[in-house]
Amino acid sequence: MTDITTDQPQGEEGPRKLRGQNRIRLIGICFGIAFLAIAGQLTRLTVFPKLEDEPARIAVEDRLPRPDIVDRNGVLLATDVAVASLYADPSKIIDIDEAIELLTATVPDLDARELRRKLSTAKRFAWLKRQVSPEERDAVYNLGIPGVGYVNERRRVYPQGRLGSHVVGYVDLDTKGIAGIEKFLDGQGALYTASLAEPAEHKTAPAQMSIDIRVQAAMIDEISNAIMKFSAIAGGGIVMDIDTGEVLSLVSLPDFNPNDEEKNLAKEQQNKMTSGVYELGSVIKAVTFAMALDYGTATLESSYDARFPLVIGSARINDFHAQRRVLTVPEVFTNSSNIGTAKMALEVGLERHQEFLKRVGLFERLQTELPESARPLLPRRWSKLATATAAFGHGFAVQPLQGAAVVAGLLNGGHLMTPTFLKRSKEDALAMAQRIVSPETSEKMRYLFRLNATDGSASKADVIGYRTGGKTGTAEKVVNGRYSKEKRLASFIGAFPMDQPRYLLLVMLDEPKATPETYGFATAGWNAVPTAGKIIERIAPMLGVEPVFTPEDVEKLAKLEAQEKKKKTQ
């Protein structure tokens, strides 16, 4: 019995001893885990020093940069620069009042009330100010406010400012394209953008545009001067390479500065050359002539009776400068006769008239790299009257760029090319081109355009040595659903040199007024045409067009020199 009694306590002592050893092991493991956690935290703070009471910093996005944008000669139009943006983690702000006081004193344009609202939320992230200066970034960092830091970002800048603003476009604060080529690079041009990427070097090749910033500057200068001189409310212009469809310049005034932080653009600042539609008599009349010549219903020897108004139903079609006689086809062109032009279209016929307008693309929206694009406005019902009036651009409104592209196709041998704002070769352009008229018709159109500059309404654009040709247009604007006799759109479309056209020029002035120099006239021949002449005089040398002087040109130059000398002596 004694042995049995003694053995029972010894049997209980073993399990107790085992349980004690397990506790010691568990405590040791816990201490080990805690030690490792502390060691890891110390390592992180040593290698990546950022104390909880220091401003946080976030690294630059690890993505390929947005491509620079350059003009056709490599001049920089848009690029990224490194900037910082201030943010806060409201959950880490210890004293909101102190934080607001320090921040508003350091960055004066921060609004205290808005700042309090942002810092009082339960969110873990709030922007304080985007894209601050390096001085503001450093000043805020040195405040040492817990929960306040900065993010390294990229900011899009436009070194040329307003030059080409409608074409280049702009981005938002997150560098997402909002307008122009900038939007194209993010949207329909995403594949093009991807082709510029060079991941191995973590960079992107620049997007090269067709724009020539020298030509753009000259265009803006001359059109701005014309707007002031003729008290116009707006103006615009286009220069296009006739053989490639490249747009070398697109101006729409008033414009905007893409570097401005606030870009609440007014309606007047929209891109009128692509997002607006206008009745461009100068363009549509040229199309009507090409149509009649190409179908063979008219020749250069044909004539049309313009002695009396053309009456269709209750409508009467008249001429602005009525000649009241029979006019040959060249005379219809140089006198811009609505009567003669309408009769040419009626001879072609309603169905073939529509077919030709479709052939040259005037029934469809023009699509280029620019996302801003308007549809043509066509007559609701294509009647005999609609054909007659549409022949000279009445009731038929198109994008100016679309009209320019069509006229370029009529003058370059008959090849319609979709305009482009990216650099393109002649071979690539011809591969995509569509024939709209025969080479013979194109040659006749070049003759008519040149004739109008020597003997017609475009004479003030005939720059000596550059063999300009062109067509004028003065359209009444629609105001409150009715055509206004007082408000007009004056336009000129032409090319140079006309013996072998290389460049097309379109100039538009919205509601130009008469001046003493124009003898009370406000039609295109007195404002848009001389403006075009000044532009050609400036840009032709830039574009490598060499002047060729005929004996008549030499005589004109001698007379001009004599006039200048006379002015100086007076």
Side-chain angles (χ1 to χ4, degrees):
M1 293 294 294
T2 306
D3 291 338
I4 295 173
T5 307
T6 305
D7 288 341
Q8 286 178 351
Q10 289 176 347
E12 290 178 4
E13 185 178 347
R16 285 178 189 161
K17 191 175 183 179
L18 183 60
R19 285 195 295 271
Q21 290 174 346
N22 289 341
R23 289 194 191 98
I24 293 171
R25 290 193 189 98
L26 182 61
I27 293 170
I29 292 170
C30 291
F31 272 109
I33 293 171
F35 176 78
L36 289 174
I38 294 170
Q41 180 74 347
L42 288 173
T43 302
R44 184 182 67 80
L45 292 174
T46 302
V47 179
F48 309 102
K50 186 194 76 170
L51 298 176
E52 287 301 316
D53 59 348
E54 286 186 338
R57 282 182 268 184
I58 299 177
V60 180
E61 302 171 74
D62 187 23
R63 62 178 174 85
L64 286 174
R66 189 176 186 84
D68 287 348
I69 298 176
V70 298
D71 86 335
R72 66 186 301 104
N73 299 310
V75 177
L76 190 63
L77 304 180
T79 190
D80 285 351
V81 295
V83 293
S85 292
L86 303 176
Y87 77 95
D89 180 349
S91 67
K92 294 181 180 179
I93 301 294
I94 298 172
D95 189 329
I96 292 179
D97 292 330
E98 182 185 28
I100 293 172
E101 184 179 348
L102 291 172
L103 288 170
T104 52
T106 308
V107 186
D109 55 350
L110 285 177
D111 181 71
R113 182 176 298 178
E114 179 66 12
L115 198 56
R116 181 175 296 278
R117 185 188 67 78
K118 290 180 177 179
L119 298 182
S120 301
T121 65
K123 296 179 179 179
R124 297 295 306 273
F125 184 91
W127 287 117
L128 301 182
K129 185 181 178 182
R130 303 289 296 274
Q131 301 181 351
V132 298
S133 66
E135 293 76 17
E136 288 176 324
R137 175 201 64 194
D138 293 342
V140 171
Y141 179 76
N142 291 331
L143 292 175
I145 303 174
V148 174
Y150 64 84
V151 178
N152 290 315
E153 294 190 296
R154 298 185 181 100
R155 178 179 181 177
R156 199 66 162 170
V157 295
Y158 302 90
Q160 305 301 325
R162 292 177 176 273
L163 287 182
S165 56
H166 284 107
V167 178
V168 177
Y170 58 94
V171 299
D172 62 12
L173 283 173
D174 296 311
T175 67
K176 180 181 178 183
I178 299 298
I181 288 294
E182 291 281 32
K183 188 171 183 178
F184 166 79
L185 293 175
D186 288 342
Q188 67 185 88
L191 289 177
Y192 169 75
T193 308
S195 71
L196 303 174
E198 299 176 11
E201 300 182 31
H202 196 74
K203 68 177 186 178
T204 307
Q208 188 164 37
M209 298 185 65
S210 60
I211 294 294
D212 187 325
I213 207 65
R214 303 169 304 166
V215 177
Q216 184 78 4
M219 287 276 284
I220 289 177
D221 190 31
E222 293 299 340
I223 294 174
S224 296
N225 290 340
I227 289 173
M228 291 183 62
K229 181 176 181 178
F230 301 108
S231 303
I233 63 172
I238 294 167
V239 176
M240 183 187 298
D241 187 313
I242 277 183
D243 293 324
T244 65
E246 294 172 292
V247 179
L248 275 66
S249 173
L250 185 147
V251 172
S252 180
L253 299 176
D255 55 12
F256 64 93
N257 190 338
N259 291 310
D260 291 342
E261 290 187 11
E262 296 295 330
K263 286 184 278 288
N264 298 319
L265 303 185
K267 183 180 178 181
E268 294 74 23
Q269 292 173 293
Q270 70 174 349
N271 182 359
K272 302 170 188 64
M273 299 297 103
T274 62
S275 62
V277 292
Y278 303 89
E279 293 186 1
L280 300 173
S282 55
V283 171
I284 304 303
K285 279 183 179 176
V287 172
T288 303
F289 275 75
M291 172 185 68
L293 292 170
D294 207 57
Y295 278 134
T297 57
T299 69
L300 293 178
E301 290 72 38
S302 300
S303 59
Y304 294 90
D305 189 349
R307 291 176 297 173
F308 309 103
L310 176 62
V311 179
I312 301 176
S314 59
R316 292 166 62 88
I317 295 173
N318 240 314
D319 287 341
F320 187 76
H321 296 293
Q323 300 297 305
R324 298 294 181 231
R325 62 184 176 88
V326 176
L327 302 174
T328 63
V329 165
E331 288 175 330
V332 172
F333 195 86
T334 56
N335 287 284
S336 203
S337 170
N338 293 337
I339 298 170
T341 307
K343 287 185 175 182
M344 291 174 70
L346 291 172
E347 279 187 350
V348 170
L350 276 64
E351 291 186 7
R352 289 202 298 177
H353 187 194
Q354 293 177 75
E355 186 277 329
F356 190 84
L357 293 175
K358 289 177 182 176
R359 186 197 307 177
V360 299
L362 290 178
F363 273 30
E364 302 295 331
R365 182 201 301 265
L366 174 68
Q367 299 283 1
T368 67
E369 294 87 2
L370 298 191
E372 301 82 19
S373 174
R375 288 186 179 278
L377 292 180
L378 311 173
R380 293 180 181 178
R381 190 172 66 88
W382 209 270
S383 61
K384 182 179 179 180
L385 179 61
T387 282
T389 55
F392 53 87
H394 199 79
F396 194 124
V398 298
Q399 290 181 39
L401 179 61
Q402 188 168 15
V406 172
V407 173
L410 299 180
L411 299 177
N412 68 5
H415 302 287
L416 179 64
M417 302 170 182
T418 301
T420 181
F421 291 89
L422 301 176
K423 206 168 182 181
R424 181 167 71 188
S425 68
K426 184 176 180 179
E427 293 72 26
D428 289 342
L430 284 173
M432 296 182 280
Q434 173 191 350
R435 178 164 290 284
I436 52 173
V437 294
S438 68
E440 294 75 21
T441 298
S442 181
E443 186 176 350
K444 292 172 184 175
M445 292 303 299
R446 292 197 292 270
Y447 164 76
L448 292 174
F449 268 63
R450 177 60 181 152
L451 181 67
N452 198 42
T454 56
D455 301 342
S457 58
S459 60
K460 288 182 171 57
D462 188 19
V463 181
I464 297 174
Y466 291 113
R467 295 92 69 205
T468 305
K471 184 76 188 77
T472 59
T474 305
E476 295 174 349
K477 293 179 64 177
V478 177
V479 179
N480 299 324
R482 302 178 68 87
Y483 284 97
S484 170
K485 298 291 184 183
E486 305 300 323
K487 297 184 178 182
R488 302 182 181 93
L489 182 76
S491 63
F492 166 86
I493 190 161
F496 64 96
M498 281 312 301
D499 48 350
Q500 191 173 357
R502 289 178 56 189
Y503 300 102
L504 177 134
L505 171 65
L506 169 68
V507 174
M508 281 176 42
L509 293 174
D510 194 354
E511 296 185 24
K513 312 297 187 298
T515 69
E517 290 180 38
T518 66
Y519 306 100
F521 294 104
T523 49
W526 293 95
N527 43 59
V529 174
T531 302
K534 291 178 180 179
I535 291 170
I536 293 170
E537 195 170 16
R538 288 183 63 174
I539 70 174
M542 297 177 189
L543 298 172
V545 179
E546 295 184 4
V548 175
F549 300 107
T550 63
E552 292 80 8
D553 291 336
V554 174
E555 187 178 341
K556 287 180 182 177
L557 286 172
K559 288 181 179 179
L560 288 173
E561 287 180 7
Q563 289 173 1
E564 288 297 322
K565 287 180 181 179
K566 189 176 180 180
K567 286 181 181 179
K568 289 179 180 178
T569 56
Q570 288 177 347

